[in-house]
Amino acid sequence: MTMDPRLTASSPGTATHCPYCALQCGTRLSGVRGAVEVRPDPDFPVNRGGLCQKGWTAPDVLGVPDRLATPLVRGADGRLAAAGWDEALDLVARRLREIRAAHGPDALAVFGGGGLTNEKAYTLGKFARLALGTSQIDYNGRFCMASAAAAQIAAFGVDRGLPFPVTDLGGADVVLLAGANPAETMPPLLRHLDRPDLIVADPRRTRTAERAALHLQPTPGTDLALALGLLHIAVTEGLVDKAYVDERTTGFDAAWARAVAWWPERVEAVTGVAVSELRAAVRMLAGAERAYVLTGRGAEQHSKGTDTVAAFINLALALGLPGRAGRGFGTLTGQGNGQGGREMGQKADQLPGYRLLTDPAAREHVSRLWGVPPDRLPGPGRSAYELLDAIGEAGGPRALLVVGSNPVVSAPAAGRVTERLGRLDLLVVADFVPSETARLADVVLPVAQWAEEEGTLTNLEGRVLRRRRLLDPPPGVRGDLEVLHALAVRLGEPAERYPCAPREVFAELREATRGGPADYSGISYERLDAGAELYWPCPEGSTGTPRMFLDRFAHPDGRARFAPVEHRDPAETPGPGFPLYATTGRVLAHYQSGAQTRRVARLAEAAPEPFVEMHPDTAARAGLADGQWALVRSARGAMRARVRCEPSLRTDTVFVPFHFPGAGRANLITHPALDPRSRMPEFKVCAVRVEAAP
Ligand SMILES: Nc1nc2c(c(=O)[nH]1)N[C@H]1C(S)=C(S)[C@@H](COP(=O)(O)OP(=O)(O)OC[C@H]3O[C@@H](n4cnc5c(=O)[nH]c(N)nc54)[C@H](O)[C@@H]3O)O[C@H]1N2
Ligand SMILES: Nc1nc2c(c(=O)[nH]1)N[C@H]1C(S)=C(S)[C@@H](COP(=O)(O)OP(=O)(O)OC[C@H]3O[C@@H](n4cnc5c(=O)[nH]c(N)nc54)[C@H](O)[C@@H]3O)O[C@H]1N2
Ligand code: SF4
Ligand SMILES: [Mo]
């Protein structure tokens, strides 16, 4: 790897951001003694000089021994072998053309990622719709933010994860965290949660729950009943902010008509949370001068995730929180560009600027910018899991390009998905490490990493940030934008339609988003590099919007909408054969499918293997002891994990992390039931039994 010769040990370093989660901690990179060194940026308000283990070790991924350095093509012997770029790209383009000619454009599919920069996400969407001509593009954000997004759009008219800066949380008196564990998933966020009293809803006593003033420990999959019950108590105890509800919202009566049936004793019976705790939670929130309600994946990754988020929004609206200074509702975005990635047009139903593909005015605006007639833009395609599950079916995808995801590990019902990927005529993966998905590919394209590239990402606050380059990519490695450019040209597209320079792409995406819900037209590299703090919507000439909804919500009438939602069971509940709930999630040391963090020695040592967290009594009943290898089995399959006894866990629930490959994949057991509105899979609850591993 080449070191930028301008760097010295004393240079202030390249100001950029961590490659991993949505907090996008500010960092400074420098080259010291031939190795890249990272330091937290003391001036960036989100992390204020803090980083988590993953951030500290991120430079290790730049030089992992199995870093992809050359394209790989699967030969007649079935093995992946090194190939030149022209050979690999020519082959991919030829096969894409053949498959399209034989089966139509929708036989070509694209799977993107919420870690991609805005420039890449934008170009990927354009590439799919124009160069491939397919409607079949979706991304891993469907597994992440989709329920929160659907509920926020319905309630507020637009979806920005946090419609306020994270630093506002530091001024709060009380914060409710429903299904989020930031002590492991966003540790520096805790700096802003020191002052408020926390109410944490989580079936596990997590490190976050340990810091809470009140820990509600619901049965997995019952948050909707929980939120209905909290609203019920707010109303019956006279704690609703009536003036706010009258002035700023609609639909209270219909929402209350559902919540009225969720009296506290019934909620206790369904959720397992004591009536006294339910009442205490509502009194804390309603009694606070400044309160926030935040949801995380624990409440959202369910086949009723959208309605669950809506129910927490109903509660927040009843208490008069959203759109008021020092109060609010928000959802904690997940991936590095989880926010921007869902606005730039890689989602099945979307055009850039958070526009809808079905909106004629949006089609007109974007197609004019792209220099094509509106009817060249395909309609909406399948959602992420449905896209993967349709492979091998009549009319389903036959070729798939994966850019920024590792679905062999991270998709629900991963055994089934892996089998489906095996039926493709062509699987192409662009990555910088040989991920589990890349290992199945026909062609692997090696791409540059965060510290080797320029771009922008949009963090959990809707703040647009610059990613800056410290190093050149290793020889033989190209950027994602260059890869898409080269493929598009080979597919007959004009070269100038796919710029390789991120700055040029940004100039174009500004125009594409102009006038849309997520308007970036007032943002430029120049403004960002001059230090401007810019949050979307940021129309040309404006200074951006750190706090949304202070005057009005984004619906035409300016009001927020209550949603009339009803509780329902998960797709699967424990019964004979599978007596326990299983839920899944994260640990501090690993990121997502683990493709990056499992390669970092310091992180692999901290969390070396899959485990199943169980109450000691539950383990004993299954004849298992702490430290023993077990199989966690559902109706879909079994995962191998080491038993970890945890007395604070509910006795009816086990927890597994999803970061491990092969037989240790949590997604071998998860249920692929989808939320009808957001198409979010039910990652957070299924029925299992745990038995000794043979
Ligand atoms: N270390 C680490 N940090 C990360 C990531 C990572 O992979 N590793 N990924 C990033 C991304 S993309 C995301 S989306 C975020 C996710 O951040 P979080 O939402 O904080 O992460 P999870 O661990 O998936 O889920 C949070 C909690 O939900 C709980 N839970 C499970 N089932 C239920 C339920 O039915 N109800 C309730 N109320 N809680 C439940 C789990 O016990 C868990 O503690 O983290 C980001 N940060
Ligand atoms: N059971 C269970 N499953 C889950 C979840 C859960 O809580 N439980 N959470 C879900 C959630 S919230 C998420 S976000 C998904 C995430 O799951 P994945 O989509 O698998 O996410 P990653 O592991 O980050 O995979 C990203 C891949 O792309 C590569 N990559 C990173 N950046 C780039 C880039 O800029 N360009 C290219 N070409 N490649 C890049 C990485 O090396 C890695 O191989 O998992 C979901 N799956
Ligand atoms: S909290 Fe997120 S952004 Fe910050 S260092 Fe850790 S992984 Fe990186
Ligand atoms: Mo995520």
Side-chain angles (χ1 to χ4, degrees):
M1 195 175 307
T2 56
M3 191 59 58
D4 188 321
R6 289 166 301 183
L7 286 170
T8 65
S10 61
S11 78
T14 301
T16 187
H17 295 270
C18 173
Y20 297 119
C21 85
L23 210 53
Q24 283 298 292
C25 291
T27 58
R28 299 205 177 240
L29 300 180
S30 51
V32 179
R33 290 184 300 276
V36 175
E37 194 163 275
V38 65
R39 276 174 294 139
D41 184 339
D43 301 326
F44 189 59
V46 173
N47 56 309
R48 288 207 308 227
L51 287 181
C52 80
Q53 297 173 6
K54 297 184 299 302
W56 282 111
T57 55
D60 292 13
V61 185
L62 295 165
V64 290
D66 62 350
R67 170 99 198 246
L68 296 170
T70 164
L72 304 173
V73 171
R74 198 170 294 280
D77 61 357
R79 287 161 179 265
L80 283 171
W85 273 100
D86 282 337
E87 180 192 347
L89 293 168
D90 288 347
L91 172 70
V92 172
R94 178 171 58 75
R95 297 288 295 125
L96 289 172
R97 279 175 190 276
E98 287 168 2
I99 294 166
R100 183 166 61 183
H103 304 281
D106 278 355
L108 312 182
V110 176
F111 200 95
L116 301 178
T117 59
N118 289 318
E119 292 79 1
K120 295 180 191 185
Y122 172 82
T123 303
L124 195 64
K126 185 181 187 186
F127 174 86
R129 270 73 180 234
L130 297 188
L132 301 180
T134 184
S135 67
Q136 301 297 301
I137 173 169
D138 210 43
Y139 80 122
N140 67 7
R142 186 71 70 172
F143 298 160
C144 183
M145 297 310 304
S147 290
Q152 295 220 67
I153 290 172
F156 306 130
V158 66
D159 148 56
R160 199 180 86 190
L162 295 182
F164 47 80
V166 286
T167 43
D168 284 5
L169 295 171
D173 304 308
V174 175
V175 176
L176 166 63
L177 290 167
N181 181 16
E184 303 221 36
T185 55
M186 297 183 179
L189 184 69
L190 297 182
R191 292 166 185 236
H192 308 291
L193 296 175
D194 267 349
R195 186 180 166 262
D197 285 332
L198 300 182
I199 306 169
V200 172
D202 196 309
R204 300 188 300 138
R205 191 160 180 82
T206 59
R207 289 187 205 172
T208 310
E210 277 169 8
R211 305 168 66 106
L214 180 61
H215 177 203
L216 312 176
Q217 225 169 334
T219 309
T222 65
D223 297 81
L224 186 37
L226 180 76
L228 285 163
L230 298 177
L231 177 61
H232 182 105
I233 292 169
V235 175
T236 53
E237 294 199 1
L239 300 171
V240 171
D241 185 338
K242 288 210 180 70
Y244 171 95
V245 170
D246 287 347
E247 277 165 37
R248 302 213 51 192
T249 73
T250 59
F252 173 80
D253 291 344
W256 171 240
R258 302 291 171 89
V260 71
W262 287 92
W263 54 90
E265 293 72 19
R266 183 179 177 206
V267 174
E268 174 176 321
V270 171
T271 63
V273 179
V275 170
S276 57
E277 294 184 337
L278 297 169
R279 290 194 193 281
V282 177
R283 286 173 191 162
M284 278 174 71
L285 280 169
E289 181 63 31
R290 288 155 302 187
Y292 289 85
V293 173
L294 305 177
T295 65
R297 299 307 86 71
E300 299 165 13
Q301 289 173 322
H302 294 274
S303 60
K304 55 178 176 295
T306 308
D307 286 354
T308 303
V309 177
F312 281 107
I313 294 176
N314 287 348
L315 172 69
L317 289 173
L319 298 175
L321 306 182
R324 291 173 84 182
R327 303 160 161 221
F329 173 88
T331 58
L332 295 167
T333 303
Q335 298 177 84
N337 199 27
Q339 185 67 52
R342 70 191 197 254
E343 303 155 2
M344 289 301 156
Q346 60 176 330
K347 203 173 175 185
D349 57 351
Q350 261 182 20
L351 288 169
Y354 228 141
R355 291 183 153 97
L356 285 179
L357 203 41
T358 46
D359 170 8
R363 296 172 68 86
E364 174 69 35
H365 175 86
V366 174
S367 61
R368 187 174 323 129
L369 181 72
W370 288 354
V372 298
D375 61 11
R376 246 193 88 182
L377 300 182
R382 294 181 180 89
S383 77
Y385 177 75
E386 291 167 294
L387 186 153
L388 297 171
D389 194 44
I391 295 169
E393 300 290 330
R398 290 173 164 267
L400 179 67
L401 170 62
V402 179
V403 185
S405 183
N406 187 12
V408 166
V409 176
S410 58
R416 182 179 169 94
V417 165
T418 307
E419 182 268 329
R420 298 264 155 175
L421 291 172
R423 297 195 203 178
L424 285 164
D425 295 339
L426 177 70
L427 175 60
V428 182
V429 177
D431 209 312
F432 35 76
V433 290
S435 72
E436 287 67 28
T437 307
R439 286 171 199 275
L440 297 185
D442 301 293
V443 180
V444 181
L445 302 171
V447 294
Q449 290 189 41
W450 57 291
E452 301 159 353
E453 64 182 22
E454 298 279 326
T456 60
L457 293 91
T458 307
N459 80 347
L460 77 172
E461 316 163 288
R463 182 202 295 254
V464 181
L465 303 168
R466 281 277 280 113
R467 171 177 282 188
R468 294 192 185 83
R469 176 181 183 135
L470 170 77
L471 311 155
D472 291 334
V477 164
R478 293 191 183 177
D480 287 297
L481 293 175
E482 293 170 283
V483 169
L484 294 172
H485 172 95
L487 282 175
V489 169
R490 282 169 171 78
L491 290 165
E493 284 284 287
E496 64 280 6
R497 192 173 273 164
Y498 300 89
C500 294
R503 188 180 288 266
E504 266 180 71
V505 178
F506 193 87
E508 184 182 314
L509 77 80
R510 280 176 66 182
E511 295 309 318
T513 65
R514 187 184 291 274
D519 190 330
Y520 283 55
S521 61
I523 304 175
S524 66
Y525 277 35
E526 290 71 23
R527 285 188 85 182
L528 293 171
D529 289 343
E533 296 198 25
L534 298 174
Y535 301 71
W536 74 255
C538 184
E540 178 107 58
S542 88
T543 51
T545 317
R547 291 173 192 83
M548 301 175 83
F549 314 136
L550 290 178
D551 300 322
R552 61 193 312 280
F553 294 96
H555 288 302
D557 62 2
R559 290 166 176 262
R561 296 180 185 164
F562 279 89
V565 290
E566 185 53 87
H567 179 69
R568 53 188 189 272
D569 279 338
E572 191 174 75
T573 47
F578 302 106
L580 298 167
Y581 290 100
T583 190
T584 66
R586 296 163 164 81
V587 300
L588 175 57
H590 285 301
Y591 191 66
Q592 317 274 57
S593 73
Q596 295 167 79
T597 50
R598 282 184 275 112
R599 292 181 156 78
V600 175
R602 282 179 279 174
L603 299 177
E605 277 162 30
E609 60 194 14
F611 62 86
V612 51
E613 207 173 275
M614 312 176 73
H615 191 278
D617 295 349
T618 313
R621 267 204 305 280
L624 292 162
D626 193 67
Q628 198 178 336
W629 282 97
L631 291 180
V632 186
R633 189 178 293 283
S634 75
R636 269 101 20 228
M639 79 172 279
R640 230 176 103 80
R642 200 188 281 281
V643 174
R644 188 179 283 184
C645 286
E646 175 51 62
S648 66
L649 192 59
R650 300 172 54 102
T651 53
D652 61 358
T653 301
V654 304
F655 169 81
V656 288
F658 79 102
H659 309 296
F660 296 93
R665 279 177 291 171
N667 279 316
L668 292 173
I669 64 171
T670 49
H671 198 297
L674 301 181
D675 180 293
R677 282 157 76 197
S678 66
R679 319 311 282 171
M680 163 72 81
E682 189 127 274
F683 285 120
K684 286 292 193 269
V685 54
C686 68
V688 298
R689 68 169 176 272
V690 187
E691 59 202 29

